[in-house]
Amino acid sequence: MLNGLNHITIAVSDVTKSFDFYVNTLGFTPKAKWARGAYLSLGELWLCLSADNVLSGGDYTHYAFSIRSNDFDEFAVRLRTAGVTEWKINKSEGKSVYFLDPDGHKLEIHDGDLNSRLMACRDKPYEGMTFF
């Protein structure tokens, strides 16, 4: 039986540039780095950066990171000061910034969680939404 998310691996075109972005801009903790990759952590998340050809998708797939409400505004300014490209404007519950990493991977910082999202959806459910 599955018991949780193990890790996320992201293809990157330049390990050094992506390592710098994830460590110095987003605040990940470096664990190991080699010529074609790196292991980083953020809380319980294990992230692998792996040198590869990057194929950017045109869909809604993205990776969202949690942030405390009290830290959100300051961190959003930090991202914008770093010159990130924003790919979407937030229209859902809570505060979010949707932005791209150096290879165009879609990321998000969000100050809510699953419970706050479900409470907002109970007030205004999506079309055809069923709760369990």
Side-chain angles (χ1 to χ4, degrees), residues 2-110:
L2 299 178
N3 62 11
L5 180 64
N6 187 276
H7 70 278
I8 295 174
T9 298
I10 297 176
V12 299
S13 60
D14 182 327
V15 171
T16 300
K17 184 176 181 179
S18 292
F19 182 89
D20 179 63
F21 177 78
Y22 281 90
V23 171
N24 296 319
T25 302
L26 298 186
F28 277 70
T29 301
K31 296 297 186 178
K33 184 173 183 263
W34 60 100
R36 299 197 44 82
Y39 292 140
L40 312 172
S41 68
L42 183 69
E44 295 297 313
L45 174 64
W46 164 19
L47 179 70
C48 175
L49 305 176
S50 182
D52 201 353
N53 293 324
V54 177
L55 306 173
S56 57
D59 61 21
Y60 188 61
T61 299
H62 66 282
Y63 308 103
F65 304 109
S66 296
I67 188 165
R68 293 182 310 181
S69 294
N70 293 343
D71 297 330
F72 184 90
D73 292 333
E74 181 181 341
F75 200 84
V77 168
R78 177 179 173 176
L79 289 173
R80 291 175 176 129
T81 300
V84 299
T85 299
E86 294 185 50
W87 62 273
K88 181 181 188 289
I89 301 298
N90 185 38
K91 295 180 182 171
S92 60
E93 155 276 331
K95 292 182 180 178
S96 287
V97 174
Y98 297 85
F99 60 100
L100 302 177
D101 81 352
D103 285 297
H105 297 292
K106 296 175 184 174
L107 306 175
E108 174 189 2
I109 59 167
H110 181 67

